[in-house]
C-alpha cells in the first residue's frame, strides 16, 4: 500500500479523510467545488512563479504512476549533481522509517512511502552521491508555516535521508508571503512526523474508518463531506452542536456524555474545570444543548446587559463586504439604508469593477455613511470593522473621518452569540437567517463562490457574474437586518424565554 505526503497532510486536518481516500469507493466522492478548483489553480500559478524565478531545473521523466521508474530517474539526476530537481520521486519502506522505539506495524500490509517534494535543492555536504547532498523544499499556498506544512516537509526530508545517506538539518517551505522562505527544524519535526505517520497507519489497519467529526471550516471543501454529514446527522453527533470542539468533545466522551440530551441535563460544575472549558463556556454549551433539544431559543446565562443590547434607530445602515483575499482586495461595499421615518429602503452597491477602483468605492462608502451621521451601522462578524480600519490606513483617510464611523459599528453576531442560544448547527449568517425564514435569491451563492465569480469576471468580462455577486451581497445585508430585528424583539420579550 502506498502512503504519500498528501495522506499525511490531510490526516492532520481530519483523521477520517485519508483513510476514506485509501479505502473508500471513488464513485462516492463529490466533485470538487469552484473554490477548491480555484485554490488548486492558485497553487499551480504560485508554483510556476517560483519555478520561473529558478530559471532552469530538471524534472525526472518516467511513465505516469510508475514510482520505481520515477525514483530511478530521480536518482540519476541526483548522481549527476544537478542544482534543482522538480517533483522528484523518492521511495522507502515504512519499516525503514519507523521510530525504533515505536511498536511494529501489523504484518498484514506492507507500506511503501512515496515522497515527491516540490524541489530537491543541491547543497554542499557529504552523501552517497559525493561531496554534495540535497534538501527538500515545498511550495505552499499558505502565508504561515502551519504545523501540517512542517510535518510534510519533515516527511520528505526523512525519506530523502534514507535515499542519500545523509540527514539535512533543515527543510524549506516556500510560502506565499514577503518573507517566503521558512526553515523547518528537522530535529523537532521528524519525531513529530513519525508519530503522526504511525498513528495514520494504525488507522488504516482498523476495520472501520475513524469516527465522524464535523468541523465546517475544515470539512466544507472535502469530497467526503456530504457522506460524513449524513452519518453525523443520523447519529445526532455532538460535533453538530455549536461550541463542541475536538478538545471539548474528548472531555465529554470521557464523562460518558455522548448525546445532546445527556449534555443538556449535565451540570456546569462537572465541566467548567476541564480542558477546553471554563466557568463561562460550560453553562453556555449546556444551554446550547437545551436549545437544540427543545428546538427553541434560550437566553444565555449572564447575557449582555439590556442597555448594551442593540437597539432600533430611526435610520439604520446594514453593511456587508465581498472580498478577494488573494488580491488583498475588498471589491464590493454594500450598504442597505433603512429610513423608518420616511418608510424607505435603498441598497447601495459600491463595486470595484477593476482592482484599482478600490479607493474610489472606499470614498463612496464614506460619503454615504456620513450622510447619516447618527445612524448605527450594523454588520455581521468583525470583518467589516477590520476592513474599514485597513482601508482607512491604506488610503490615508483622516482619523476624523473614520473614527466617528467606527464608533457607530454594531456587530450583530457578537451581540447575538453573547446573549442567546439558537437551535441551529452553526452561527453563520446563513444558518441563523434561514432559521428565521429568510432566503437568499441566489440559492447556490456563498462568499467563497463570490471569490471565484469575481475572478471569472476579471478574466471574462461577463457582467452576469457581477449581477449575481451584487444580489448576494444585498441579501447578506437584508439577512443581517432580519437577524438584528429578531434579536431586538427577543430581548424585549426576554421574560417569556428566561430560564429560572
Amino acid at each position: 500500500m502506498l502512503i504519500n505526503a498528501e495522506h499525511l497532510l490531510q490526516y492532520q486536518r481530519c483523521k477520517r479523510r485519508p483513510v476514506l481516500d485509501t479505502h473508500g469507493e471513488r464513485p462516492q466522492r463529490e466533485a470538487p467545488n469552484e473554490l477548491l478548483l480555484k485554490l488548486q489553480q492558485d497553487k499551480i500559478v504560485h508554483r510556476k512563479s517560483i519555478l520561473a524565478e529558478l530559471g532552469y531545473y530538471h524534472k525526472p521523466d518516467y511513465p505516469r504512476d510508475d514510482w520505481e521508474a520515477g525514483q530511478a530517474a530521480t536518482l540519476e539526476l541526483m548522481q549527476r549533481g544537478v542544482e534543482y530537481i522538480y517533483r522528484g520521486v523518492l521511495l522507502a519502506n515504512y519499516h525503514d522509517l519507523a521510530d525504533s522505539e515505536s511498536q511494529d506495524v501489523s504484518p498484514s500490509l506492507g507500506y511503501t512511502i512515496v515522497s515527491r517534494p516540490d524541489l530537491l535543492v543541491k547543497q554542499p555536504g557529504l552523501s552517497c552521491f559525493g561531496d554534495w547532498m540535497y534538501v527538500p523544499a515545498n511550495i505552499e499556498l499558505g502565508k504561515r508555516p502551519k504545523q501540517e506544512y512542517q510535518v510534510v516537509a519533515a516527511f520528505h526530508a526523512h525519506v530523502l535521508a534514507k535515499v542519500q545517506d545523509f540527514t539535512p538539518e533543515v527543510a524549506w517551505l516556500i510560502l506565499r508571503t514577503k518573507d517566503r522562505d521558512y526553515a523547518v527544524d528537522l530535529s523537532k519535526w521528524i519525531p513529530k512526523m513519525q508519530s503522526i505517520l504511525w498513528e495514520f497507519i494504525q488507522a488504516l489497519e482498523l476495520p472501520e474508518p475513524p469516527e465522524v467529526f464535523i468541523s465546517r471550516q475544515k470539512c466544507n471543501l472535502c469530497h467526503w463531506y456530504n457522506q460524513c454529514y449524513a452519518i453525523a446527522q443520523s447519529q445526532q453527533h455532538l460535533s453538530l452542536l455549536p461550541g463542541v470542539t475536538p478538545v471539548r468533545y474528548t472531555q465529554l466522551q470521557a464523562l460518558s456524555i455522548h448525546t445532546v440530551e445527556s449534555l443538556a441535563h449535565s451540570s456546569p460544575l462537572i465541566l467548567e474545570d476541564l480542558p477546553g472549558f471554563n466557568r463561562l463556556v460550560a453553562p453556555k454549551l449546556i444551554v446550547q444543548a437545551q436549545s437544540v433539544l427543545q428546538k427553541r431559543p434560550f437566553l444565555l446565562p449572564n447575557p449582555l446587559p439590556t442597555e448594551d443590547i442593540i437597539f432600533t434607530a430611526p435610520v439604520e445602515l446594514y453593511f456587508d463586504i465581498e472580498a478577494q483575499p488573494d488580491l488583498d482586495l475588498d471589491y464590493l461595499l454594500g450598504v442597505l439604508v433603512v429610513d423608518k421615518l420616511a418608510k424607505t429602503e435603498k441598497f447601495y452597491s459600491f463595486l470595484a469593477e477593476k482592482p484599482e477602483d478600490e479607493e474610489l468605492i472606499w470614498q463612496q462608502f464614506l460619503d454615504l455613511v456620513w450622510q447619516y451621521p447618527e445612524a448605527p451601522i450594523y454588520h455581521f462578524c468583525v470583518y467589516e470593522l477590520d476592513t474599514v480600519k485597513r482601508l482607512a490606513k491604506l488610503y490615508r483617510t483622516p482619523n476624523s473621518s473614520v473614527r466617528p464611523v467606527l464608533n457607530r459599528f454594531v456587530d450583530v453576531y457578537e451581540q447575538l452569540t453573547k446573549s442567546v442560544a439558537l437551535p441551529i448547527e452553526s452561527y453563520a449568517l446563513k444558518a441563523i437567517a434561514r432559521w428565521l425564514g429568510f432566503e437568499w435569491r441566489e440559492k447556490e451563492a456563498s462568499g467563497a463562490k463570490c471569490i471565484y465569480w469575481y475572478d471569472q469576471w476579471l478574466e471574462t468580462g461577463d457582467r452576469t457574474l457581477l449581477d449575481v455577486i451584487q444580489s448576494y451581497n444585498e441579501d447578506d445585508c437584508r439577512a443581517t437586518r432580519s437577524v438584528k430585528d429578531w434579536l431586538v424583539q427577543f430581548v424585549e420579550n426576554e421574560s417569556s424565554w428566561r430560564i429560572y
Side-chain angles (χ1 to χ4, degrees), residues 189-203:
W189 288 103
I190 284 180
K192 178 70 173 176
M193 179 277 299
Q194 289 176 308
S195 175
I196 294 171
L197 180 58
W198 163 241
E199 187 181 314
F200 172 50
I201 287 178
Q202 285 183 305

Side-chain angles (χ1 to χ4, degrees), residues 347-390:
F347 179 69
Y348 295 84
S349 182
F350 303 122
L351 176 66
E353 295 188 3
K354 307 183 297 295
E356 53 267 32
D357 290 341
E358 184 185 62
E359 183 176 8
L360 172 62
I361 67 168
W362 162 240
Q363 190 57 54
Q364 290 172 334
F365 166 78
L366 282 180
D367 291 344
L368 175 67
V369 297
W370 271 107
Q371 291 180 34
Y372 307 95
E374 303 298 324
I377 303 172
Y378 297 111
H379 60 101
F380 195 88
C381 288
V382 74
Y383 184 80
E384 279 69 24
L385 182 72
D386 290 343
T387 296
V388 167
K389 293 177 181 178
R390 183 189 80 83

Side-chain angles (χ1 to χ4, degrees), residues 5 43 47 51 57-60 62 67 70 74 84-90 115-120 138 156:
K43 185 163 186 178
R47 184 179 291 158
L51 295 176
Y57 57 89
H58 291 76
K59 183 177 181 180
Y62 60 95
W67 303 123
T74 302
Y84 300 104
I85 302 172
Y86 174 60
R87 300 291 282 169
V89 178
L90 307 172
S115 166
R116 298 184 67 205
D118 288 325
L119 288 169
L120 291 169
N138 248 34
H156 293 312

Side-chain angles (χ1 to χ4, degrees), residues 32-168:
N33 62 34
E34 293 97 332
L35 182 58
L36 181 58
L37 292 173
K38 173 180 163 31
L39 291 173
Q40 292 170 346
Q41 185 60 38
D42 287 349
K43 185 163 186 178
I44 292 171
V45 170
H46 178 47
R47 184 179 291 158
K48 285 182 177 179
S49 71
I50 300 300
L51 295 176
E53 292 180 21
L54 295 181
Y56 190 73
Y57 57 89
H58 291 76
K59 183 177 181 180
D61 183 21
Y62 60 95
R64 182 182 178 87
D65 294 338
D66 187 342
W67 303 123
E68 290 187 359
Q71 174 165 254
T74 302
L75 289 175
E76 192 272 332
L77 294 173
M78 297 172 80
Q79 288 163 350
R80 283 166 47 192
V82 302
E83 294 295 323
Y84 300 104
I85 302 172
Y86 174 60
R87 300 291 282 169
V89 178
L90 307 172
L91 303 177
N93 185 282
Y94 171 71
H95 292 279
D96 296 332
L97 298 177
D99 181 354
S100 60
E101 297 181 359
S102 69
Q103 290 181 299
D104 197 8
V105 296
S106 165
S108 62
L109 291 172
Y111 295 94
T112 299
I113 308 300
V114 181
S115 166
R116 298 184 67 205
D118 288 325
L119 288 169
L120 291 169
V121 183
K122 184 182 178 183
Q123 300 280 293
L126 293 175
S127 70
C128 65
F129 304 118
D131 59 356
W132 68 89
M133 55 94 171
Y134 286 88
V135 296
N138 248 34
I139 302 169
E140 300 292 355
L141 195 59
K143 297 182 179 180
R144 295 183 297 105
K146 303 175 187 177
Q147 170 180 308
E148 58 215 50
Y149 293 163
Q150 298 196 60
V151 166
V152 165
F155 172 87
H156 293 312
H158 199 41
V159 179
L160 173 62
K162 298 298 179 182
V163 171
Q164 68 179 4
D165 293 332
F166 184 88
T167 303

Side-chain angles (χ1 to χ4, degrees), residues 87 91 188 226 304 306 318 330 345 396 399 402 453:
R87 300 291 282 169
L91 303 177
K188 173 183 176 181
N226 285 337
L304 285 175
T306 303
Y318 294 87
D330 294 286
E345 297 180 8
R396 304 190 179 195
N399 191 54
V402 178
W453 289 332

Side-chain angles (χ1 to χ4, degrees), residues 275-323:
F277 291 90
N278 57 42
R279 291 185 179 181
L280 295 177
V281 169
K284 183 176 180 179
L285 192 60
I286 289 171
V287 173
Q288 178 64 62
Q290 292 169 351
S291 175
V292 169
L293 186 65
Q294 298 187 34
K295 297 181 173 58
R296 67 180 182 91
F298 279 97
L299 195 69
L300 289 173
N302 304 309
L304 285 175
T306 303
E307 60 270 19
D308 291 338
I309 294 290
I310 56 180
F311 54 91
T312 298
V315 178
E316 300 173 343
L317 309 183
Y318 294 87
F319 179 35
D320 187 73
I321 293 172
E322 304 303 330

